Amino acid sequence: MKTQDFIALEEQYGAHNYHPLDVVIERAEGVWVYDVEGNRYLDCLSSYSAVNQGHVHPRILQAMLEQAKKVTLTSRAFRNDQLPLFYKELSEFSGYEMSIPMNSGAEAVETAIKLARKWAYRVKGVPRYQAEIITVSGNFHGRTTTIISFSTEPLYKEDFGPFTPGFVTVPYGDADALERAITPNTAAVSVEPIQGEAGVVMPPAGYLKRVSEICKRYNVLFIADEIQTGLCRTGKRFAFQHEDVRPDMVVIGKALSGGFYPVSAVLADRPIMGLFQPGEHGSTFGGNPLAAAIGRAALAVLRDEKLDERSAELGAYFLEQLQEIPSRHIKEVRGKGLFIGVELKPEAGGARRFCVELQKRGILAKETHEHVIRLAPPLVIDKETIDWALPRIREVLQMN
Ligand SMILES: *Cc1c(COP(=O)(O)O)cnc(C)c1O
C-alpha cells in the first residue's frame, strides 16, 4: 500500500478530528522517522514533546520488552514490584515528596483539579463546592469536558457544553489580573510555564515568580502544567526552574514514557498528596507495572544522558541561528531550550504551507494555531543535524 491508500482508509473509517500532514510513518529511530515510501524526515515535533528521549530509545525499549514478558497489569487492587521504585525515582528526579500515576495528560490534570478542590475544602476551609480555580487565556490542558470548560479556544469547546463551573480565566502573563481575580474561595491557579499549544507563548520574565508569590500570599495552590514543557524540553528538568520557583503541584505526562505508552503523573508534597484517601481516585491502568517500568527507564535516560543540558545548549544555538534568518514572513522567533516557535506575520498566509514545504525537504513540523511553526526536535539531536536542517528551514522561510 502507498501513502494515498493509507490516507483513503483513514479518511473513510476514522473520525476526522485531526488534520495531519500527508505523511504515513512506518518506523522511527532517534530524531528520524521513515514513511511508507522509504523517505526519511527529521522529526521537529517529537510527538508534542512525548519523545524527548528520541524515537524508540533502546534503553526504554529494553525495559518495556523485559517487563512485558513478566507482568503488565495487576490493577491497583494488588501491589506490583515496579510502582514503588517508579515513585521513588520520580521523587528523586523531581524533588517532590510524592506522586500519583495516571495515563493521559488530561487525566493527570483532572487529578490535580480534584486534589486542589479537596485541599480547598479540607485544609483552606472553603465552603463546600464553592472552590474556584483560576486559569489563563490561551491555556491547553487537555480535552475532557471539564478541561475544555476553561479553554479559551472556541474550536476546543463550541458544541461541547454544558461546561463545568468553578473556573475563572484571566489573561496569560498578567500577574496583576491574576491577583485581582483571587477571592476567599480560590483553591488554585493553573498555568503552563510556556504555552505549547497556543504557539510557544512565553510569559513576560518574572511572571512565574510573581504568580508563585501571589499564591503564597493568598494561600492558593500554584499548579504548573508541565506536560509539554517538563522533562528537559526547555533546557531544565522543569520549565518553572527558569524562575527559581516551586509550584505546589506539577502535572507531567508525554515524555514520562519516552513515547512508548501513556504515562502521566501529578507531583506534590505530602501535605497535599496525602489528602487522597483509598477509593477517592483511581485508574485501572494508572501505575501498572509496564507503565512504571517504562517510566523508570524514561526518567533514567533523561537523567543519564543529561538531556536538560543538551536541550539548553543546542536550543540556544538553534534559536540564535533561526533568529538570524532574514525573511519577510517572520514576525518573531522565540523559545527556551529546544522548544522554539517561529511566528509568521498574518500576511504570510498561515504556517501550514511552510510545514508542507518543510516536509518536501525532509523536515516534519506542525503548524500551531494559524501562524506559528513549532520546532521541537527530540533532545538527542546533535549539532550536525541542526546544521543539516538550518539551510532547509531558511530556504522555506525565504520562499514567496
Ligand atoms: C498534551 C498536553 C495535555 C494533554 O495531554 P494528553 O495526554 O493529550 O491528554 C495537557 N497539557 C499540556 C500543556 C499539554 O501539552
Side-chain angles (χ1 to χ4, degrees), residues 107-119:
E107 258 183 309
V109 171
E110 291 272 352
T111 303
I113 291 169
K114 286 173 72 173
L115 195 50
R117 286 176 170 176
K118 181 161 189 192
W119 174 87

Side-chain angles (χ1 to χ4, degrees), residues 135-155:
T135 65
V136 295
S137 55
N139 72 72
F140 182 80
H141 297 289
R143 302 293 198 160
T144 65
T145 46
T146 285
I147 291 171
I148 60 158
S149 299
F150 50 87
S151 174
T152 57
E153 168 60 55
L155 184 64

Side-chain angles (χ1 to χ4, degrees), residues 18 48 103-109 140-144 147 192 194-197 225-229 251 253-254 262 264 374:
Y18 278 89
Y48 302 97
N103 309 285
S104 70
E107 258 183 309
V109 171
F140 182 80
H141 297 289
R143 302 293 198 160
T144 65
I147 291 171
E192 297 153 79
I194 296 174
Q195 291 184 330
E197 291 317 293
D225 181 341
E226 292 257 10
I227 293 171
Q228 190 159 160
T229 53
V251 189
K254 294 200 166 110
S264 65
R374 181 173 13 186

Side-chain angles (χ1 to χ4, degrees), residues 82-102 231 237-238 246 250-253 255-257 263-268 273 291-292 295-296 298-300 302-303:
Q82 290 299 311
L83 183 56
L85 297 165
F86 184 40
Y87 279 142
K88 179 166 179 281
E89 288 158 16
L90 198 44
S91 280
E92 285 163 0
F93 184 90
S94 68
Y96 285 86
E97 290 173 0
M98 298 176 84
S99 59
I100 182 168
M102 287 284 135
L231 306 181
R237 287 186 174 186
F238 299 97
R246 190 170 183 275
V250 182
V251 189
I252 54 176
L256 189 50
S257 73
V263 184
S264 65
V266 181
L267 312 168
M273 193 56 74
R296 293 179 62 201
L299 288 175
L302 293 172
R303 182 195 61 215

